[in-house]
Amino acid sequence: MKRAGVLMLAAVPVVLAATAYGSSSTAHDDPRPGAPSAATQRRAPEGLAAPAMKNLAQELVASAENSTLDWHSAYAYIQDIGDGQGYTAGIIGFCTGTHDLLVLVEHYTAAHPDNGLARYLPALRKIDGTDSHEGLDPGFPAAWRAEAKVPAFQAAQDAERDRIYFDPAVSAAKRDGLGPLGQFIYYDAIVFHGPGTDGFYGIRERATRRAEPPAEGGSEEAYLSAFLDVRRATMRAEHPGIDTTRIDTAQRKFLEEGNLELRTPLVWKVYGETYKVP
């Protein structure tokens, strides 16, 4: 399954600030209420943004979005999966019905006017926010796959992924005092639901009503458990009967194992398939 939430870029402030973590190996717990624990202070400042961790995060997302760990192969992915969002494409499931695919092609065309997708911009603007293929068929999927071989378009997908999803999710997680697992849990949620009050930010707000995040003195495990509960319920409410194994047998599994640092090796299941990262 792909993201189901509608992307509303103009309505959502992008969170750029990040909590800085100390790196001293001699950190001690601060007795003040709400102060970060010694374990939190010892975390590397990069968290999920460290290159190896970011690659791991993309492998985890790809297992749910594309049923593979080879996330680089997803640059060329394009399919209408019947979720009401039109074509879903690329490494993060950009959709013709959720505005982000249009923004990607617009930004790419501004830098590379002669690309093979530029001629579809009028159609993409016309159908934005709908599941229509009007003006796209039959050539758009083939044009996407062809353009996905171009390094500049791969870089454009990476940039939009970071700008819309990865960077805001990791920044928000650090502000909440969350380590790599929590940062990934936020990232996967924003990928699937999109930002906005009816997406990731709404889920986070409801989760904070159930448990305080670590930055406010709460338990990291308890807060992440509450977040996953709210997110799972949101998925079920939006799509009754939806497969929620990307939570149940992946993220929840890591949480129950106490793997807040998202250390490898990892073993998880999505849609009944087992994945392993040594």
Side-chain angles (χ1 to χ4, degrees), residues 43-236:
R43 284 172 178 157
E46 302 92 343
L48 206 67
M53 294 299 293
K54 189 173 185 179
N55 184 72
L56 174 61
Q58 204 58 41
E59 289 178 324
L60 289 164
V61 167
S63 71
E65 293 286 311
N66 306 102
S67 297
T68 181
L69 294 183
D70 181 15
W71 65 270
H72 294 89
S73 68
Y75 287 115
Y77 172 85
I78 182 166
Q79 184 179 1
D80 187 329
I81 62 173
D83 63 351
Q85 307 299 336
Y87 280 118
T88 296
I91 59 169
I92 210 63
F94 302 102
C95 295
T96 56
T98 57
H99 194 60
D100 55 351
L101 190 146
L102 169 60
V103 172
L104 166 63
V105 177
E106 285 180 333
H107 286 178
Y108 180 57
T109 300
H112 305 277
D114 298 327
N115 75 82
L117 299 174
R119 65 182 182 272
Y120 293 100
L121 275 172
L124 289 170
R125 294 184 181 113
K126 184 177 180 180
I127 66 171
D128 189 30
T130 77
D131 63 354
S132 174
H133 292 187
E134 183 180 354
L136 299 181
D137 290 340
F140 184 69
W144 180 279
R145 286 189 287 268
E147 201 65 29
K149 298 176 183 178
V150 179
F153 187 51
Q154 295 177 9
Q157 289 193 41
D158 291 345
E160 288 302 299
R161 172 202 61 199
D162 291 350
R163 185 181 71 85
I164 301 173
Y165 301 110
F166 188 84
D167 291 347
V170 172
S171 293
K174 286 186 175 182
R175 284 163 58 91
D176 283 339
L178 302 175
L181 175 59
Q183 292 166 31
F184 173 72
I185 285 173
Y186 273 22
Y187 176 45
D188 189 69
I190 203 170
V191 165
F192 187 92
H193 298 275
T197 55
D198 59 345
F200 162 73
Y201 290 103
I203 293 171
R204 181 199 168 276
E205 181 181 355
R206 294 193 295 277
T208 59
R209 295 175 194 160
R210 297 190 180 194
E212 291 183 334
E216 297 177 14
S219 158
E220 187 167 8
E221 291 90 340
Y223 172 73
L224 289 176
S225 182
F227 185 94
L228 291 178
D229 286 344
V230 172
R231 187 188 165 192
R232 188 177 190 274
T234 301
M235 291 175 69
R236 290 285 176 92

Side-chain angles (χ1 to χ4, degrees), residues 60 63-64 243 245-246 249-250 268-275:
L60 289 164
S63 71
D243 187 308
T245 51
R246 68 194 296 155
T249 52
W268 71 98
K269 289 185 178 181
V270 182
Y271 314 136
E273 294 291 327
T274 298
Y275 297 92

